[in-house]
Amino acid sequence: MTDKLIDHHQSARGEPRVALVTCTELSDLDPDDRLVLAPLAARGIAAEAVVWDDPAVDWPAYDLAVLRSPWDYALRRDEFVAWARTVPALANSAEVVRWNTDKRYLAELSAAGVPTVPTAWVAPGEGWVAARSGEYVVKPAVSAGSQDTGRYDLADPEHRALAVAHVRRLSDAGRLTMVQPYLHAVDTAGETALLFLAGPDGLRFSHAIRKGPMLTGPDLGVEGLYKVEEISARTAAPAQLAVAEQALAAVPGGTGQLLYARVDLIPGPDGAPVLVELELTEPSLFIGYADGAPDRLADAIVTHLAGPA
């Protein structure tokens, strides 16, 4: 089956060429992403890491460009979306990139009936009055790797002042701010990420992982692009899979266009899973935490190389 799929798209150059799109800081790819290189080679596919904003790259020379770790785009989102439109064969697509790199998509999914974490939006120039109690998360609508994200206990006057300053800092930079209640279940149950990969008959559930809590307090502007995550394998519960399927069903254009998807869930106050993020642009796929996942990702890439049946 694999050879047949590749033959369907075999380029005149010989073996298919795939660009695994990354950023300068990870020019050799994230270690998890490197796990797909050998399975791709075994399938006759030449894959290499390529930096998204390298002006010397000839994108039409690749049969497929797969977004993996271009994690420096957040402060240049417009440039990144414009770049995506110039890549002839991009997964996930430029239109998915445009929609998914602005977390206002959460409002669309909520309106479609997907259980999502409640979110207040503060536009640049708008005032924001902090509540007098409760724990909240403040973050920009465009971000990657928990950048510019903080957790605040608004019953604490110092935290409340820091939260107000955080919103003002984002506003002054012209960035839309999100304010969400902190879901305390993440401290015990953790966050569940459900990973889906393309197959011949559409997007399929591949595996799930547990992420431990990452936010310990206010954002104090500490430098650093990536934060350390506590990751372990997890078995997805039926209720989690149901919410994931509901969220994916609401993606504009449908799931047939997707090479991968990651659905991040946390138990809400009643214990039922709620969506915190639907990652379709550059998510870590955690393929090192599930048997066979690197091969499933390689097969997903083969499926996209084959194009429409």
Side-chain angles (χ1 to χ4, degrees), residues 19 22-23 32 34 42 44 51 55 68 70 75 110 116 128 141 163 169 195 198 222 232 235 242 258 261 281 303:
T22 186
C23 60
D32 193 69
R34 287 199 290 271
V51 175
R68 290 311 318 122
L75 297 180
S110 179
T116 62
W128 177 68
R169 185 166 66 249
L195 288 306
V222 176
S232 58
T235 299
L258 303 178
T281 301
T303 296

Side-chain angles (χ1 to χ4, degrees), residues 76-141:
R76 296 186 289 158
R77 187 250 179 180
D78 290 347
E79 179 186 346
F80 184 65
V81 171
W83 163 82
R85 294 193 178 109
T86 71
V87 181
L90 183 68
N92 288 328
S93 73
E95 185 53 31
V96 169
V97 168
R98 182 200 63 78
W99 182 76
N100 190 240
T101 50
D102 186 326
K103 292 183 178 63
R104 281 179 289 186
Y105 71 76
L106 288 171
E108 295 182 36
L109 296 181
S110 179
V114 179
T116 62
V117 58
T119 304
W121 307 88
V122 185
E126 285 186 349
W128 177 68
V129 178
R132 306 300 294 185
S133 63
E135 287 194 78
Y136 288 83
V137 173
V138 174
K139 61 184 176 182

Side-chain angles (χ1 to χ4, degrees), residues 16-95:
R17 295 185 67 201
V18 170
L20 299 177
V21 182
T22 186
C23 60
T24 300
E25 290 84 352
L26 292 168
S27 59
D28 290 328
L29 298 174
D30 181 77
D32 193 69
D33 288 328
R34 287 199 290 271
L35 297 176
V36 78
L37 294 174
L40 285 173
R43 288 156 174 77
I45 297 170
E48 58 189 282
V50 185
V51 175
W52 74 271
D53 58 352
D54 180 350
V57 177
D58 179 16
W59 294 105
Y62 293 95
D63 297 280
L64 183 65
V66 180
L67 288 165
R68 290 311 318 122
S69 48
W71 293 336
D72 59 356
Y73 76 86
L75 297 180
R76 296 186 289 158
R77 187 250 179 180
D78 290 347
E79 179 186 346
F80 184 65
V81 171
W83 163 82
R85 294 193 178 109
T86 71
V87 181
L90 183 68
N92 288 328
S93 73
E95 185 53 31

